[in-house]
């Protein structure tokens, strides 16, 4: 009886041992032949490849560790290896192997002699699993891209481009069909161009650009074009900048003036210890800059089509109180405290005079604008806009179309106005230019209309 019990015990132990060995064996098989693919991330994944570019590769495998990484660029069956790295199996169960790896590789279409057109980037990661006949689990990333290293072409079609400091100029140019965006560069400032018609079959564009009042007459002005791949072309064209002199003006800041205007800016937060002069300086500097940033953002809403026609209208029966680009030096108690340039023309007529739209356009702004008070901004198309500031009230709303001469508001004293008047500005892509040019029928005919008329004869 005792022998039978001992035999059964040994049998149980044997079965348990077999089961344990089977479990270990099953675990070992599952571990060695595990089927989880490595992780793989490649950045960036651009649509176009126009020049040598650096790519970042991040790969990992939590279970068996990385075996190898390989990246190739394939074009019409011709493959070039751009990155390759192997990771040896080290230590028991690859304990000392590589489980995560980051690397960079470059693809230079010129060095690899890639042709223009489609190409395929393939990146592979293998781990140390024994699956796949011992090759391991594989993660494959495939990304299609277009090799484009040829920049677009661009040339001016108009011949004479005379522009005043503080003035506006129009150039008509032709860009190749692969052009994605184009325009004029004035030093580092970009002025976008616009197709002359919706079909744009002949690639003709026009662009209004400005030369700021304080820019060197020897400024570099170039046509520029860029395709979807990011290839850029710049081309020179004949132009001449006429130097201009602007006035200086002394502005006396009195306590009475500060008492008059500071309550209007009660919506601003000041430090309790700020004096009236310090508050005024914050308004004249910090708030002014925020207002101009708002104007620059609004320019992006401009219509690609010309909305205006003919000479621009000036506030009727109004005296000029301040001119464009006046250099203002501000004095308080006989001491200079600040200086600014006046970016418009101040026009004064009777108090609360009706203000006409300078030309046809669309209202893109009609609300309070800091130092300019109640302000209306009209879009005249192709990045041309006009601004009407210090209004006592506004007669239009955002999105409304207006005709030349329509009343858009009434003159007033809102903002930093010392008396009832209209502040009138003209902007080209956010750059303030001299409004006098746009009031001059002769200037418009010579500098705009005659150039546009060449499009009718094409």
């Amino acid at each position: 009886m005792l022998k039978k019990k001992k035999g059964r015990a040994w049998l149980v132990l044997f079965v348990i041992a077999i089961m344990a060995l089977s479990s270990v064996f099953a675990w070992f098989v599952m571990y060695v032949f595990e089927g989880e693919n490595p992780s793989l991330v490649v950045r960036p994944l651009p649509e176009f490849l126009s020049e040598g570019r650096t790519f970042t590769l991040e790969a990992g495998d939590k279970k068996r560790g990385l075996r190898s990484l390989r990246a190739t660029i394939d074009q019409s069956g011709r493959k070039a290896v751009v990155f390759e790295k192997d990771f040896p199996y080290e230590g028991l169960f690859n304990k000392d192997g590589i489980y995560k790896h980051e690397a960079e590789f470059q693809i230079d279409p010129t060095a690899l002699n890639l042709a223009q057109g489609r190409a395929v980037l393939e990146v592979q990661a293998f781990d140390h699993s024994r699956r796949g006949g011992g090759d391991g689990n594989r993660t494959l990333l495939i990304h299609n891209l277009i090799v484009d290293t040829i920049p677009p072409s661009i040339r001016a079609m108009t011949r004479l481009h005379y522009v005043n400091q503080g003035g506006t100029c129009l150039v008509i140019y032709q860009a190749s069909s692969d052009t994605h965006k184009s325009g004029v560069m004035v030093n580092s400032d970009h002025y976008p161009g616009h197709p002359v018609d919706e079909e744009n079959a002949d690639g003709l564009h026009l662009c209004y650009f400005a030369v700021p009042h304080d820019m060197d007459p020897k400024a570099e002005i170039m046509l520029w074009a860029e395709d979807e791949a990011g290839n850029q072309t710049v081309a020179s064209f004949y132009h001449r900048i006429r130097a201009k002199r602007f006035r200086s003006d002394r502005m006396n800041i009195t306590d009475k003036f500060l008492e008059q205007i500071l309550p209007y800016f009660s919506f601003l937060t000041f430090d309790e210890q700020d004096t009236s002069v310090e508050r005024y300086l914050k308004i004249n500097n910090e708030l002014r800059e925020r207002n101009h940033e708002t104007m620059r953002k609004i320019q992006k809403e401009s219509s690609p089509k010309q909305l205006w026609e003919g000479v621009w209208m000036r506030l009727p029966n109004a005296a000029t109180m301040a001119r464009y680009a006046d250099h203002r030096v501000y004095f308080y108690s006989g001491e200079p405290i600040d200086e600014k340039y006046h970016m418009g023309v101040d026009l004064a007529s009777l108090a609360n005079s009706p203000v006409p739209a300078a030309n046809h356009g669309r209202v893109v702004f009609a609300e309070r604008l800091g130092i300019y008070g109640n302000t209306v901004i009209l879009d005249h198309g192709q990045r041309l806009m006009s601004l009407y500031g210090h209004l006592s009230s506004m007669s239009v709303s955002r999105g409304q179309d207006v005709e030349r001469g329509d009343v858009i508001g009434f003159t007033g004293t809102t903002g930093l106005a010392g008396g009832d008047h209209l502040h009138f500005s003209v902007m080209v892509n956010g750059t303030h230019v001299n409004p006098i040019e746009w009031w001059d029928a002769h200037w418009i005919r010579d500098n705009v209309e005659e150039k546009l008329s060449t499009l009718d004869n094409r």
Side-chain angles (χ1 to χ4, degrees):
M1 189 71 177
L2 183 60
K3 289 182 178 180
K4 288 182 177 181
K5 288 183 178 180
K6 287 183 178 180
R8 289 173 184 167
W10 280 108
L11 180 61
V12 170
L13 290 174
F14 178 76
V15 170
I16 291 173
I18 293 297
M19 292 177 64
L21 288 173
S22 298
S23 297
V24 171
F25 180 75
W27 171 86
F28 179 77
V29 171
M30 290 180 64
Y31 177 75
V32 172
F33 291 90
E34 60 88 17
E36 185 175 314
N37 291 337
S39 63
L40 179 62
V41 176
V42 177
R43 299 187 184 92
L45 292 174
E47 182 181 356
F48 295 91
L49 187 64
S50 60
E51 58 185 357
R53 189 136 193 197
T54 299
F55 295 79
T56 300
L57 180 155
E58 298 176 6
D61 189 86
K62 296 179 180 179
K63 293 187 175 180
R64 297 288 285 150
L66 293 169
R67 177 193 294 270
S68 64
L69 297 172
R70 179 182 173 91
T72 61
I73 189 80
D74 185 348
Q75 194 173 53
S76 301
R78 185 171 66 90
K79 283 190 176 183
V81 178
V82 293
F83 178 80
E84 191 168 26
K85 189 171 182 65
D86 295 323
F87 304 96
Y89 192 93
E90 297 185 354
L92 183 64
F93 297 122
N94 198 30
K95 178 182 177 182
D96 299 322
I98 301 300
Y99 288 80
K100 186 177 181 180
H101 187 73
E102 295 183 10
E104 290 184 346
F105 62 90
Q106 287 75 38
I107 300 179
D108 187 337
T110 302
L112 294 172
N113 198 28
L114 297 179
Q116 306 298 299
R118 296 188 179 277
V120 179
L121 171 64
E122 292 186 0
V123 184
Q124 301 180 76
F126 289 89
D127 65 10
H128 276 289
S129 171
R130 301 305 297 173
R131 285 209 175 193
D135 291 335
N137 299 303
R138 181 185 73 154
T139 297
L140 173 63
L141 183 150
I142 297 177
H143 177 66
N144 296 306
L145 47 77
I146 298 174
V147 177
D148 182 358
T149 61
I150 301 175
S153 61
I154 188 170
R155 66 187 182 99
M157 303 299 288
T158 43
R159 297 181 179 278
L160 302 178
H161 307 93
Y162 296 105
V163 56
N164 299 314
Q165 275 182 304
T168 308
C169 189
L170 170 65
V171 59
I172 297 173
Y173 61 90
Q174 187 175 46
S176 55
S177 59
D178 58 338
T179 300
H180 177 59
K181 53 185 178 180
S182 61
V184 172
M185 283 197 315
V186 181
N187 285 345
S188 60
D189 295 331
H190 285 68
Y191 293 83
H194 304 275
V196 300
D197 53 45
E198 293 183 2
E199 291 79 13
N200 195 28
D202 48 13
L204 289 177
H205 294 69
L206 59 84
C207 179
Y208 292 95
F209 64 93
V211 173
H213 67 96
D214 55 353
M215 182 167 282
D216 190 326
K218 295 181 181 179
E220 184 178 56
I221 302 178
M222 306 285 285
L223 292 171
W224 65 275
E226 182 177 311
D227 62 19
E228 288 189 295
N231 298 302
Q232 291 189 0
T233 295
V234 293
S236 61
F237 65 100
Y238 178 81
H239 63 273
R240 180 179 177 185
I241 301 175
R242 299 189 183 103
K244 292 291 180 180
R245 298 184 64 181
F246 301 99
R247 299 190 315 174
S248 293
D249 193 11
R250 178 186 177 115
M251 304 289 291
N252 292 312
I253 305 302
T254 64
D255 290 327
K256 182 178 180 181
F257 171 73
L258 295 175
E259 292 173 1
Q260 173 188 332
I261 60 100
L262 286 179
Y264 179 81
F265 297 95
S266 59
F267 61 90
L268 295 176
T269 301
F270 299 102
D271 295 333
E272 291 184 5
Q273 65 270 25
D274 284 348
T275 65
S276 294
V277 172
E278 289 171 337
R279 296 185 181 199
Y280 171 77
L281 291 176
K282 287 183 178 180
I283 294 168
N284 203 35
N285 288 273
E286 297 173 15
L287 183 58
R288 182 187 295 270
E289 179 54 35
R290 294 206 300 269
N291 299 155
H292 286 186
E293 179 60 29
T294 297
M295 296 178 201
R296 288 189 285 269
K297 290 180 179 178
I298 291 173
Q299 296 294 315
K300 297 177 182 179
E301 301 179 27
S302 185
S303 169
K305 298 180 180 180
Q306 178 177 324
L307 305 179
W308 64 279
E309 183 179 359
V311 66
W312 292 33
M313 190 173 181
R314 184 180 185 276
L315 181 68
N317 304 314
T320 300
M321 307 304 293
R323 299 179 185 178
Y324 168 81
D326 282 352
H327 180 215
R328 290 178 165 178
V329 181
Y330 299 85
F331 286 80
Y332 178 76
S333 298
E335 297 294 328
I337 59 171
D338 204 359
E339 60 178 313
K340 289 287 178 290
Y341 286 94
H342 185 244
M343 294 289 91
V345 176
D346 286 348
L347 302 170
S349 183
L350 299 175
N352 292 312
S353 292
V355 176
N359 216 309
H360 316 319
R362 178 173 55 92
V363 180
V364 290
F365 188 91
E367 57 185 275
R368 184 165 64 179
L369 183 63
I371 66 169
Y372 296 97
N374 294 331
T375 301
V376 171
I377 299 178
L378 300 182
D379 172 36
H380 303 287
Q382 299 167 340
R383 299 294 178 108
L384 286 174
M385 293 191 179
S386 57
L387 177 147
Y388 310 77
H390 305 315
L391 303 176
S392 60
S393 62
M394 297 171 283
S395 306
V396 292
S397 57
R398 178 179 167 83
Q400 181 177 337
D401 293 327
V402 297
E403 298 293 319
R404 180 181 181 275
D406 286 352
V407 174
I408 60 173
F410 296 83
T411 61
T413 60
T414 56
L416 275 183
D420 187 291
H421 71 279
L422 169 69
H423 174 92
F424 178 73
S425 291
V426 175
M427 296 172 287
V428 178
N429 197 39
T431 301
H432 289 76
V433 295
N434 198 338
I436 290 178
E437 293 181 339
W438 296 93
W439 292 332
D440 185 346
H442 180 76
W443 180 89
I444 289 178
R445 183 179 67 250
D446 291 348
N447 294 276
V448 179
E449 292 176 342
E450 287 190 1
K451 291 179 181 179
L452 294 177
S453 68
T454 62
L455 298 173
D456 299 330
N457 302 324
R458 55 189 167 129

